[in-house]
Amino acid sequence: MGHLRVGDSLDKAIDMGAIVDPQQRKSVDELVEKAREEGAEVFQTCACMPSHGCFYPPTLITNVQPVSIVVQEEVFGPVLTVLTFRTPKEAISLANNTRYGLGASVWTENFNLGLEVALSIKAGSCWINGHNMFDAASGFGGYRESGFGRDGGKEGLYEYVKPSWQERPRPKVDDELVKSFGSSVPPRPLNPSRDQHHSYAITAELQGHALPSIDRTLKMYIGGAQKRPDAPYARSVVSPSGAVVGQVGEGNRKDIREAVEAAHKATPGWGKRAAHNRAQIVYYIAENLELRHDEVAQRISAMTGRSIKDAKQEVDLAVQRLFHWGAYADKYGGSIQETTLYGCTARVHEPVGVIAIACPDDYPLLGFVSLFAPAVVRANTVVVVPSEKYPLSATDLYQVFDTSDLPGGVVNIVTGSRDHLTKYLVEHQNVDVCMSHDVYVD
């Protein structure tokens, strides 16, 4: 640091130029002084320093804590903070303990370890044994509060184009509807139907009196286990003919919070699995669903009123869709960018994280499978609100998931009012993407 020269940036003999304006220089100085007040050690030196202008000496700050302001905030000045670590895992945790994520670099003699750490750091660009190497053919962008979108490469081009068949969305926003969106009153419970085609069919007789099957209310599926809903309310599933086919739990904000926590906890482990392994699990789900083909088809027919032939076709398509997306699990990992930079520039398609999905009522099983499968095979975890009218197709998959080696927390299902649950999913800070699929007629 003592050999660095600070001065006019147009001088080729100068290593470091000026800060952008006096206000920014003042901000940098305040952050450094704040670190000094917090007990950090500040080292400042350079070979030469102009007496006039917005110049600031190169600064090294040690003995800082991960919660220090100078560590957590973007300084935008020649200031370097140094934290110690014992293991690569601890280093990754320290690097990701921030609201920002524009660029990062890994310096190591072990290239394999460097690749593993680089993939684990949540930053838009990550260099190994180098920094700030850019090329127009390579995409560049940020994570979290460092912005979204990309510059350069195909990613940058896609920011400005759209498919020719895609119309520009022009939503009409009604302020009153926005205010009332998600408000819900738990429905009144209904007595189950005794029709022989429904799940509450008469199964036995006692002293000449008919007895219905066991009255059960299906629970939520959170963290790989069936959990009772927070509120003591049940939602009846009614067929078009008015018969009560079954009952599911009425989810609320606390159920959503627990489901998101379970998904967030499962994200690192699921993302570390090989794409081939994720594909095998999805194939296993398809195989176990096929084993319950007739049972699931009868449930669809009872809920929707469609013919058993039509219901079986939906199950066939759902199984086919699972095999389809399982085959794509290892087809979108990324690519090698051809740049002028010396070395290899790799583009990696990382998982988004926790994805919230609100399913439509049309084709309850096929719609559910078509939305959760592509998200899961690409290492995302999901919180799904199944069809509000016909949720039993999703709840029938609880045991399928349990017997298919699917890790707990990868798929979480919360039943109840679609809009009510979607509202809390949108507001949750740990949900990275929220997808709502429905048709609204204006």
Side-chain angles (χ1 to χ4, degrees):
M1 287 177 59
H3 296 284
L4 293 176
R5 292 159 294 186
V6 180
D8 187 354
S9 58
L10 296 179
D11 186 347
K12 293 184 179 180
I14 293 299
D15 298 308
M16 189 175 298
I19 304 295
V20 64
D21 58 35
Q23 184 63 34
Q24 179 59 29
R25 189 194 183 284
K26 179 181 177 182
S27 175
V28 173
D29 191 54
E30 288 176 350
L31 286 171
V32 172
E33 291 304 316
K34 183 67 175 178
R36 198 191 305 269
E37 293 174 3
E38 292 176 346
E41 298 178 9
V42 179
F43 177 74
Q44 293 177 318
T45 185
C46 59
C48 60
M49 184 74 179
S51 57
H52 301 286
C54 295
F55 297 98
Y56 198 82
T59 303
L60 177 66
I61 303 179
T62 59
N63 194 28
V64 291
Q65 302 300 320
V67 294
S68 298
I69 295 178
V70 73
V71 175
Q72 290 293 323
E73 295 295 331
E74 292 182 315
V75 180
F76 290 111
V79 178
L80 178 66
T81 59
V82 179
L83 292 87
T84 60
F85 60 90
R86 297 182 183 87
T87 63
K89 184 177 180 179
E90 183 182 358
I92 294 168
S93 178
L94 289 171
N96 291 333
N97 183 32
T98 175
R99 295 176 294 155
Y100 307 102
L102 187 59
S105 57
V106 179
W107 300 81
T108 178
E109 296 179 349
N110 187 333
F111 185 71
N112 291 331
L113 178 61
L115 283 174
E116 181 181 356
V117 173
L119 289 171
S120 301
I121 292 178
K122 300 304 180 183
S125 296
C126 192
W127 297 271
I128 299 179
N129 294 338
H131 199 77
N132 268 22
M133 295 180 288
F134 299 103
D135 188 89
S138 176
F140 177 78
Y143 258 71
R144 301 168 180 164
E145 292 187 24
S146 289
F148 57 89
R150 292 292 181 266
D151 294 327
K154 293 182 179 179
E155 302 92 334
L157 175 63
Y158 291 154
E159 297 288 334
Y160 299 94
V161 298
K162 63 179 179 64
S164 58
W165 50 264
Q166 186 181 68
E167 296 183 0
R168 179 179 177 181
R170 300 178 185 275
K172 297 179 181 178
V173 180
D174 189 324
D175 293 337
E176 293 300 324
L177 289 178
V178 171
K179 292 179 181 179
S180 61
F181 179 80
S183 58
S184 175
V185 177
R188 181 175 63 86
L190 300 175
N191 293 325
S193 176
R194 292 190 176 184
D195 190 294
Q196 62 178 349
H197 298 294
H198 299 145
S199 58
Y200 294 95
I202 297 171
T203 58
E205 290 188 0
L206 179 62
Q207 296 180 355
H209 298 283
L211 296 177
S213 62
I214 297 175
D215 182 5
R216 66 189 181 102
T217 299
L218 293 164
K219 304 175 180 65
M220 312 297 176
Y221 191 73
I222 299 174
Q226 297 189 43
K227 302 289 184 68
R228 295 183 181 276
D230 174 61
Y233 299 110
R235 172 177 291 266
S236 299
V237 181
V238 184
S239 70
S241 62
V244 178
V245 183
Q247 293 177 334
V248 296
E250 185 72 21
N252 61 14
R253 179 170 56 183
K254 187 173 185 295
D255 298 312
I256 289 295
R257 185 174 71 237
E258 292 180 352
V260 174
E261 288 176 357
H264 195 265
K265 183 179 179 180
T267 298
W270 185 240
K272 285 287 187 180
R273 288 183 178 246
H276 174 76
N277 180 257
R278 296 194 301 268
Q280 292 301 312
I281 291 175
V282 173
Y283 291 152
Y284 201 4
I285 293 173
E287 292 170 1
N288 286 330
L289 178 60
E290 175 65 26
L291 291 175
R292 305 181 64 175
H293 183 283
D294 292 342
E295 175 190 347
V296 176
Q298 289 176 3
R299 179 87 72 179
I300 293 174
S301 177
M303 285 191 303
T304 63
R306 290 153 46 196
S307 66
I308 191 66
K309 178 181 178 181
D310 200 15
K312 287 184 177 181
Q313 185 179 12
E314 181 176 348
V315 179
D316 291 336
L317 289 174
V319 173
Q320 182 183 13
R321 196 67 52 88
L322 285 168
F323 277 108
H324 171 85
W325 287 116
Y328 273 101
D330 57 355
K331 305 299 188 296
Y332 288 103
S335 62
I336 299 299
Q337 306 270 31
E338 294 187 12
T339 65
T340 58
L341 302 174
Y342 180 77
C344 175
T345 305
R347 178 182 65 183
V348 179
H349 292 160
E350 296 183 333
V352 175
V354 178
I355 298 180
I357 302 174
C359 297
D361 290 329
D362 296 336
Y363 297 98
L365 177 63
L366 183 60
F368 179 89
V369 167
S370 300
L371 294 174
F372 98 85
V376 165
V377 298
R378 289 304 306 155
N380 300 286
T381 56
V382 296
V383 178
V384 187
V385 179
S387 166
E388 181 176 344
K389 293 174 63 178
Y390 312 122
L392 298 181
S393 293
T395 60
D396 282 342
L397 295 178
Y398 291 177
Q399 294 179 351
V400 173
F401 292 149
D402 289 340
T403 56
S404 301
D405 296 336
L406 183 70
V410 174
V411 177
N412 304 274
I413 302 173
V414 181
T415 57
S417 171
R418 183 177 182 275
D419 291 347
H420 182 67
L421 298 176
T422 300
K423 176 179 184 293
Y424 295 121
L425 285 168
V426 171
E427 294 174 349
H428 202 292
Q429 295 296 316
N430 279 337
V431 173
D432 299 291
V433 172
C434 189
M435 301 190 300
S436 180
H437 297 264
D438 205 348
V439 178
Y440 291 94
V441 180
D442 188 3

